[in-house]
Amino acid sequence: MRQPAASPPRPDRRRPLPVTARLERSGRPGPPPLAPGSRGAHESFRRRAACGRSALQFARPPTSCHDWASGLRPAGPPATQLLLEPSVDCALRHREPKEPPSSRWRLSGIQPLPPAAVSATTASVRHPALLLRHPTVAPAVRTTGTLCTANASSGRGRGVPAADDCPGERQEEMAAAGDTPLYAKVSGKIKGRSPPSLLDPLLALGFPAHTALKALAATGRKTAEEAADWLHGHCSDPSLADPIPQEYALFLCPTGSLLEKLQAFWRESRRQCAKNRAHEVFPHVTLCDFFTCEDQKVECLYEALKKAGDRVLPSFPAAVPLVLYSSISYLGFFINDGPADVIREFAMTFATEASVLADCTVKPCTRQLHLTLAHKFSPHHQRTLEQLAQAIHPGHGCQWTAALYSRDMRFVHYQTLRALFQYKPQNADELALSPGDYIFVDPTQQEEASEGWAVGTSQRTGCRGFLPENYTERASEADTWVKHRTYTFSLAMDLNSRRDCEASSRWNGQLPSAQVPRALSSVQALQATIARRSVLVVRHGERVDQVFGRSWLQQCSTPDGKYYRPDLNFPHCLPRRSSGIKDFENDPPLSSCGIFQARLAGDALLDSGVRVVAVFSSPALRCVQTAKHILEELKLDKRMKIRVEPGIFEWMKWEANRAPPAFLALEELRASEFNVDLDYRPAMPLGSLLPAESYEEYVERCRLSTERILGASPPDLGVILIVSHGSALDSCTRPLLGLPPRDCADFAQLVRKIPSLGMCFCEENKEDGRWELVDPPVRTLTHGANAAFNWRSWIPGS
C-alpha cells in the first residue's frame, strides 16, 4: 500500500448532501480544505430500531475498561493470568484516563498461575469482549513480559481496573467461588477431547461458542490466532451476537501460466477499455452458486469438497479445452464436450455431499460452463478485447483448483471501498480508518451524509459510521471474499494436493482420512456420461389487452383504420397485416411493458451463461415477439431462427371466437423483421386447431408437438427454448416427466396463477433416459400494477 506524504484534507460536514450519487464518481478529488478554525459540525445521531439495536453504530471505541461491559460471561479455568503485550494497532489499544500515551496492550494468552500465587479470594477482570475470573495473586508474583495480575492488598491489577472500579463487580466477586466446580467440569471436557480443535483455544479465552464459531467462519478457519484477532476487532460490532451465517460458493480456478496470461489480460483490458463487470472477480468458472451454511457445520463443507474431489480426480481431464466466445457484451471461454461433463459431475457430487454432511442446499451449475474475460462492456471495445483475448492460448500449462470462498451476505449489493490513508475520528459517529481497511457502502442510504462523506460499515470492526470519501478508493467485490479450502485436480500433483489436505486437517485438529481410489467401473461410467439436453418453457410477456381490455383496438385506432399510440404502454407500432388492423383484436401484441419483460428475461439468460440451441414459438404474435426479444438479448437473433409450432398454441376452448385467430403468415412475420424459419414443418398445422377442442385433445396435441420439437432439435448440449402460453408450462412438461394429464379443474386454476415470463425448466438424464424438473436458470420477475392517471381530475370542479 502506497504511503502518501500527507493525508488529504478532511471534508467539511456542514454542507447538505446533493441528490446526485457521489459514490459513482470515477475519480476522487479531495473536497476543498477546511477554513481556519473550522471543524466538522455534523450533529451526532443514533437511531434505534424496533428490536432495540442501533441502526448506526458509533465507531468511537471505549475510553476505558469500564466501557467494556459487553455482558459476556465466559467459563475460564479457575487459576489463570492474562498475558498482555505492548501493541499499537491491536484491539486492546484503548487507554485508561490516566494511562500514558505510550502504554497500549494486546492480549497474548492465558496461562495457569503458580499454586503459591493463588489466594482464597477471587477478583474479576474485564477486557474487550471477554470477562475472566481469576484468583487474586500475591504482590511478589513475577511478570513475564507484561503479566496482568491482581494486587493482593488493593485488588487492582496492572493495566486492568480493580473490581470496585466497575459497578456490579462486587457481587460477581462474591459468586466467584461457586463457579469453580463449573470451571472444573468445562476444563475436564476440554481435556477429554481428542484431537483438539480450533474452537478450544477460543473457548479457553472466554469467548462464547457461537461468536467463536462466527469468527472462525469469517476468517476461513485457518488459525485460532486469526479468529481471536477478528473477535477483538469486532468488540463493538452490534451484530456480533446475531446468528447471520456466511455465504459460500465453489469455483474452479486456473493456476500456473494460464492464470498469469489471464491476469495480464485483466490489467491490459482495464487499461485500454476501462473497467467492466469481469474485473470485480478473479478468473474462475462457477461450479456452485452462493449458498448459506451454519457456522458450526463449515468443516463438513471441507469434507464434502475432499470427498467430491477424490471421487472425480482419476477421471479429471489432463487438459480442459477452452473455446473463445464473443458477443456484443460478453467475452469468455466456453468448456465443452466431455471435460465439462466431468466438472459438472464434481459440482453435483459436492452439492450432494454438502447436503448430507452440512445440511445445506447447494445448487450446482447445470448451464454452460464458462470463464468470463469481459462482461457488460461498451460495444466499441469489443474488437480491442477480442484482440487481447487472442493472446491467451488455452494450451498454456494449467492446474485447475476447486476453491471454496465465503462472503458476508449482508453486503452483497453494496459498494466496496478501500482506505488509502489513516483517519482519526473527530466526532463520535465517524469511522477510524487504517490503510487497507475495506468499507461496505450502500449507495441508497447516503441521505444523511454531507457532500464528500459517506456512511459505511467497516469489515475490520463491524462498526458503522461516517468516513471521508477522499480517503478511499473503489475496490473489487471479491477483495473481501475469504478463501477457505482448495482441491487441486492433477494426477501429477496428487501428492502435493494430499499434503495440502493434511495441512488443512492439521489446522482443524483432525487427522486426514484415507483416500480410497474410485473403482474402474465408476470411472468408465462417468466417462460414458452423455451431455444433457434441457427444455425451458416460457410464457409470453404482458399482452396489450391484458392491460386495456378487450376494446383495446378501439382505443388506439382512428376512424380510417390507422394505428396511433394513446398510452405509453401501447407498442410503438404494429406489424403490417394484409388483412388490416382489425385482426389484431384476436391476436394482440405485447405491450411496452411486455417487451421490456422479454428483454429483461433475455438479459438474465445471457448473464446465466445458458446455451440456447433451438427456439420454438406459438403462432400467436405475442409469443413470436417474446422469442424475438429474448434472442436479441442473447445476441442470437441473426444466427438462430424461430420455428413456429401451432401445436403449442393455447387451448382453443379459452378462445372467444368460434374460429382460430387469424395469425400473421410466416411471410408477413419475415417482412416485419422476425427471423422465422420458413422451412420448418410443424407437428400440427394451423388447420388442426379446432374451435370445439376438448381438454384431452388439447393435451394430446401438446404431447405430440413436444415430441416433434425434441426430434427437430439438435442433440447438442444446450437449452431448447419454447415460448408459448401459460398452459404450456404444464401441458408441455408433464409428458416429458412421464406424468399423466392433470385434472381439468386443477389445470385451469394452475394456469391462472402463472405470471408473464413464468418459466419451467426440465433436464434430461441420458443415463436412465428420464427427465426431471429443476430450478430455472434465472429468477422470477415480479412487479406491481400502475394505474392510469388523468391530470384533469386534479382540477377543482372538473
Side-chain angles (χ1 to χ4, degrees), residues 266-303:
W266 246 250
R267 293 188 297 268
E268 194 64 20
S269 63
R270 185 166 184 172
R271 186 184 67 85
Q272 296 188 25
C273 306
K275 184 178 180 180
N276 59 70
R277 289 180 59 178
H279 293 117
E280 293 290 335
V281 189
F282 45 81
H284 71 282
V285 178
T286 301
L287 299 183
C288 296
D289 293 329
F290 277 98
F291 60 93
T292 58
C293 178
E294 299 178 10
D295 294 338
Q296 65 271 22
K297 298 180 180 179
V298 176
E299 286 190 354
C300 298
L301 291 181
Y302 306 159
E303 184 179 355

Side-chain angles (χ1 to χ4, degrees), residues 726-748:
S727 57
L729 270 69
D730 183 79
S731 58
C732 290
T733 57
R734 292 183 73 88
L736 293 176
L737 303 175
L739 299 176
R742 197 184 299 270
D743 181 74
C744 182
D746 296 339
F747 173 76

Side-chain angles (χ1 to χ4, degrees), residues 131-152:
L131 174 68
L132 290 179
R133 303 182 186 277
H134 64 87
T136 305
V137 298
V141 175
R142 67 180 181 86
T143 60
T144 304
T146 301
L147 174 61
C148 180
T149 60
N151 187 284

Side-chain angles (χ1 to χ4, degrees), residues 111-129:
Q111 67 182 28
L113 280 173
V118 181
S119 63
T121 59
T122 60
S124 297
V125 173
R126 284 187 184 269
H127 61 85

Side-chain angles (χ1 to χ4, degrees), residues 18 103 110 158 205 220 242 322 334 399 454 538 556 602 744:
S103 177
I110 295 180
R158 280 173 263 176
L205 286 174
D242 293 345
L322 300 176
F334 281 3
Q399 294 172 354
V538 182
C556 63
C744 182

Side-chain angles (χ1 to χ4, degrees), residues 315-320 398-400 489 491:
S315 59
F316 195 85
V320 177
C398 176
Q399 294 172 354
W400 294 90
F489 291 101
L491 295 177

Side-chain angles (χ1 to χ4, degrees), residues 492-723:
M493 293 296 295
D494 189 25
L495 180 59
N496 294 337
S497 176
R498 295 184 183 183
R499 290 174 180 172
D500 293 340
C501 294
E502 292 174 0
S504 172
S505 300
R506 286 196 295 270
W507 288 344
N508 298 330
Q510 298 175 355
L511 296 177
S513 57
Q515 297 189 7
V516 181
R518 296 179 58 191
L520 182 60
S521 58
S522 301
V523 176
Q524 293 173 346
L526 182 59
Q527 293 175 342
T529 302
I530 302 176
R532 297 186 177 187
R533 287 194 301 173
S534 306
V535 173
L536 179 62
V537 185
V538 182
R539 191 197 175 195
H540 57 76
E542 179 186 82
R543 45 195 279 181
V544 68
D545 62 336
Q546 182 180 342
V547 182
F548 300 101
R550 299 289 297 178
S551 61
W552 70 274
L553 193 58
Q554 287 74 26
Q555 303 176 37
C556 63
S557 57
T558 61
D560 57 350
K562 294 183 179 180
Y563 172 80
Y564 74 98
R565 193 181 188 188
D567 188 277
L568 291 180
N569 205 16
F570 276 83
H572 183 71
C573 60
L574 296 177
R576 299 193 57 172
R577 282 182 181 266
S578 58
S579 57
I581 196 175
K582 64 182 187 325
D583 285 336
F584 283 110
E585 185 172 6
N586 297 321
D587 187 22
L590 292 178
S591 65
S592 297
C593 289
I595 296 174
F596 173 74
Q597 292 171 341
R599 290 189 173 277
L600 200 62
D603 183 69
L605 288 172
L606 178 65
D607 289 341
S608 69
V610 298
R611 178 171 175 260
V612 177
V613 296
V615 180
F616 296 84
S617 172
S618 164
L621 175 60
R622 55 190 180 273
C623 297
V624 180
Q625 287 179 310
T626 302
K628 174 188 176 184
H629 294 305
I630 290 178
L631 288 179
E632 286 178 348
E633 293 301 316
L634 289 171
K635 318 304 178 189
L636 298 174
D637 53 311
K638 303 299 182 183
R639 295 185 293 143
M640 188 169 294
K641 295 182 178 181
I642 303 173
R643 302 178 182 181
V644 178
E645 177 55 66
I648 57 177
F649 180 65
E650 191 69 90
W651 185 14
M652 289 297 299
K653 181 181 178 180
W654 290 345
E655 291 297 314
N657 294 342
R658 295 183 178 180
F663 299 118
L664 281 167
L666 296 181
E667 292 77 10
E668 292 177 319
L669 291 172
R670 199 67 181 266
S672 298
E673 298 183 352
F674 291 93
N675 190 13
V676 295
D677 191 350
L678 301 178
D679 299 327
Y680 174 68
R681 296 294 177 262
M684 295 286 180
L686 284 174
S688 63
L689 301 179
L690 304 177
E693 185 180 40
S694 65
Y695 175 65
E696 290 74 15
E697 292 173 338
Y698 164 72
V699 172
E700 180 64 15
R701 166 164 63 88
C702 290
R703 185 188 67 82
L704 295 175
S705 300
T706 304
E707 292 180 356
R708 168 63 177 154
I709 288 173
L710 292 179
S713 301
D716 301 338
L717 169 68
V719 176
I720 302 171
L721 177 62
I722 299 178
V723 182

Side-chain angles (χ1 to χ4, degrees), residues 300-485:
C300 298
L301 291 181
Y302 306 159
E303 184 179 355
L305 175 62
K306 186 176 182 302
K307 286 188 175 181
D310 290 346
R311 178 178 176 183
V312 180
L313 180 61
S315 59
F316 195 85
V320 177
L322 300 176
V323 180
L324 185 63
Y325 173 81
S326 176
S327 68
I328 196 171
S329 63
Y330 177 84
L331 179 68
F333 289 113
F334 281 3
I335 303 177
N336 297 325
D337 304 328
D341 298 333
V342 179
I343 297 174
R344 288 193 186 91
E345 179 71 16
F346 166 72
M348 287 186 289
T349 304
F350 171 78
T352 303
E353 294 290 344
S355 176
V356 174
L357 300 175
D359 192 23
C360 54
T361 303
V362 182
K363 180 183 178 182
C365 180
T366 57
R367 53 184 183 265
Q368 172 69 58
L369 296 179
H370 58 280
L371 193 156
T372 301
L373 297 177
H375 186 38
K376 296 293 184 182
F377 49 84
S378 299
H380 64 276
H381 288 152
Q382 181 180 0
R383 182 177 298 275
T384 303
L385 292 172
E386 289 177 351
Q387 293 175 352
L388 293 175
Q390 291 174 358
I392 306 174
H393 300 289
H396 283 300
C398 176
Q399 294 172 354
W400 294 90
T401 298
L404 187 66
Y405 281 84
S406 71
R407 69 182 181 186
D408 195 325
M409 63 186 302
R410 298 173 298 170
F411 309 113
V412 172
H413 300 294
Y414 283 45
Q415 291 180 351
T416 306
L417 303 180
R418 181 190 296 108
L420 297 175
F421 313 99
Q422 186 173 7
Y423 177 74
K424 296 183 64 175
Q426 300 185 21
N427 292 288
D429 55 0
E430 295 177 1
L431 275 178
L433 300 180
S434 296
D437 284 358
Y438 289 102
I439 312 298
F440 300 108
V441 175
D442 187 356
T444 64
Q445 298 181 2
Q446 301 299 316
E447 297 83 3
E448 311 246 10
S450 304
E451 183 179 4
W453 290 80
V455 180
T457 303
S458 172
Q459 185 196 36
R460 179 173 56 85
T461 63
C463 297
R464 191 163 183 258
F466 290 99
L467 65 145
E469 287 186 274
N470 58 334
Y471 278 60
T472 63
E473 67 175 358
R474 285 290 300 271
S476 300
E477 174 188 354
D479 289 345
T480 59
W481 294 359
V482 178
K483 181 188 288 188
H484 285 251
R485 297 293 183 271

